Amino acid sequence: MSRTWNFAAGPAAIPEPVLRQAQTELLEWRDARASVMEISHRGKAFMALAAETERDLRALADIPAHYRVLFLQGGATLQFALLAMNLAAPGQHADYVLSGHWSEKAAREAAPYVDVRIAADARSNGYSALPPRADWRLHDDAAYLHYTPNETIHGLEFRDVPEAGQVPLVADMSSSILSEPLPVQRFGMIYAGAQKNIGPAGLTLVIVREDLLARAQRPMAGILRYAEQAAHESMLNTPNTFGWYLAGLTFKWIAAQGGLPAMAARNRRKADTLYAAIDGSGGFYRNPVDAAARSRMNVPFFLHDARLDTVFLRESEQAGLLALKGHRALGGLRASLYNALPQEGVEALVAFMRAFQQRHG
């Protein structure tokens, strides 16, 4: 077996104890005499698992009772359109903050269903810094205010939760959910693809305030309506049962590590270790993001000579450091430091970076 340190941005590393438990239970889950993938999602055994998983998540993230938790399919990208369809009436407008690739795409995908107004825009600085809060143009009559707390590609992160007043705040937390304590009550809706801090690709988590479910008045298929999914406990059609099961194991693993406060401390230490190595390299490595907005989850960085990128990627993989290639939209290199990656993995990366600089500097 040759498992090693995985810095992939998503699908990303899953905690090894979770994978080992799933391996042990793969053929026979509990007393079902079959795999969890093979039993009915409407049977008592899986319904009990689904309820247990939701209870564990509610306890982990302190989700208030007046929020519904949905386990859906289609990824966060589907929610770009669905949230506009469900939270805004035809002709209504919504405010969007652009801080990187994914917030930009969220606004673009929502545009057919809501009048998108750009409340703040960091495109002019190449998404190297967050738009100053004093410059945001918010509207009290907006259907909602949307932002992306962590930008996976450009490596920007909001360190606090924006104030939205009475307007529901909506957040794409795909790359930051469960990485630190989560003030759910500050939001109208939170959504996240699972493939970074929750589990495998194919599952999408939606946490939505109950009163917002009544907003969807436009004609749409029932499967696209949050209220309908909530009424059927996310089982309007056959759900991603294996993804749901693995998410449940991951929630238990996070709780066993000390919960979200412990995750926050671990993630801060990992990020500090890597940024210190970049900043202390004398310019051999470079991170272009404003220090006040640097992501703890996704760290893009560049070599002083881009011609060394291919060499770095080849040698790092040989050293047991996987998936360090930067996103095609940005180039360079990128290390994703999600919950499942331990401090030892970051230490291994930093040691390799120093040795690489000695060889090629």
Side-chain angles (χ1 to χ4, degrees):
M1 185 165 167
S2 59
R3 281 184 65 80
T4 186
W5 307 122
N6 184 359
F7 295 89
I14 293 174
E16 190 167 313
V18 169
L19 293 176
R20 290 192 180 279
Q21 182 172 346
Q23 181 184 46
T24 300
E25 299 177 336
L26 188 61
L27 290 179
E28 294 187 42
W29 175 65
R30 296 183 180 175
D31 59 355
R33 297 188 297 175
S35 170
V36 71
M37 291 183 286
E38 300 173 305
I39 64 174
S40 170
H41 61 291
R42 301 189 190 280
K44 289 183 179 179
F46 190 84
M47 294 290 283
L49 169 70
E52 178 183 351
T53 299
E54 181 175 334
R55 286 196 302 272
D56 287 347
L57 176 62
R58 285 184 176 275
L60 197 62
D62 195 21
I63 301 174
H66 64 290
Y67 284 75
R68 299 302 299 268
V69 176
L70 308 178
F71 294 88
L72 306 179
Q73 301 178 67
T77 300
L78 179 59
Q79 305 312 312
F80 294 163
L82 288 192
L83 70 91
M85 296 168 69
N86 279 270
L87 302 187
Q92 195 172 12
H93 77 263
D95 290 338
Y96 276 74
V97 176
L98 304 189
S99 57
H101 176 92
W102 292 112
S103 52
E104 189 177 333
K105 187 172 183 179
R108 185 167 63 249
E109 294 296 307
Y113 309 102
V114 67
D115 177 17
V116 171
R117 296 186 181 178
I118 305 305
D121 191 347
R123 283 178 291 188
S124 62
N125 63 46
Y127 293 133
S128 62
L130 294 171
R133 199 67 55 88
D135 296 341
W136 290 23
R137 300 173 300 280
L138 303 180
H139 303 85
D140 292 339
D141 60 343
Y144 56 86
L145 168 62
H146 181 281
Y147 84 118
T148 303
N150 184 77
E151 286 283 359
T152 316
I153 295 174
H154 290 89
L156 277 76
E157 176 187 11
F158 285 84
R159 298 286 170 81
D160 59 354
V161 177
E163 180 55 58
Q166 297 304 307
V167 174
L169 182 62
V170 176
D172 174 6
M173 290 194 177
S174 294
S175 56
S176 58
I177 196 164
L178 305 183
S179 65
E180 63 181 346
L182 181 61
V184 175
Q185 68 279 1
R186 297 281 304 276
F187 296 87
M189 175 178 151
I190 294 166
Y191 63 102
Q195 65 270 22
K196 303 176 192 299
N197 273 330
I198 296 175
L203 185 74
T204 306
L205 180 66
V206 172
I207 304 169
V208 56
R209 206 173 65 211
E210 204 158 36
D211 63 290
L212 298 178
L213 296 176
R215 284 193 172 190
Q217 300 301 320
R218 72 177 77 222
M220 71 180 89
I223 199 167
L224 304 179
R225 197 180 298 273
Y226 292 148
E228 195 77 9
Q229 290 283 5
H232 288 82
E233 305 294 336
S234 305
M235 296 190 185
L236 193 56
N237 66 331
T238 306
N240 179 352
T241 54
F242 191 64
W244 204 326
Y245 154 77
L246 279 174
L249 295 185
T250 302
F251 299 157
K252 291 183 183 300
W253 175 81
I254 293 174
Q257 306 310 301
L260 299 189
M263 287 294 106
R266 285 166 47 136
N267 290 329
R268 172 51 59 199
R269 183 185 175 203
K270 289 184 295 185
D272 287 348
T273 299
L274 181 51
Y275 284 120
I278 293 170
D279 294 341
S281 70
F284 188 85
Y285 301 105
R286 175 179 58 87
N287 173 269
V289 177
D290 174 33
R294 284 175 163 179
S295 169
R296 293 163 304 126
M297 294 286 96
N298 309 100
V299 182
F301 60 101
F302 299 86
L303 289 159
H304 75 290
D305 183 351
R307 291 173 296 182
L308 286 173
D309 286 3
T310 301
V311 182
F312 184 97
L313 291 169
R314 182 180 67 247
E315 293 187 5
S316 62
E317 186 167 347
Q318 291 169 349
L321 307 166
L322 303 182
L324 287 166
K325 186 176 182 179
H327 191 275
R328 61 185 181 276
L330 201 62
L333 307 163
R334 175 175 55 171
S336 294
L337 313 179
Y338 301 126
N339 288 349
L341 182 78
Q343 178 69 23
E344 291 81 0
V346 180
E347 299 287 354
L349 172 58
V350 166
F352 170 82
M353 290 168 65
R354 288 173 179 154
F356 186 86
Q357 182 175 355
Q358 289 175 353
R359 291 194 301 273
H360 300 282

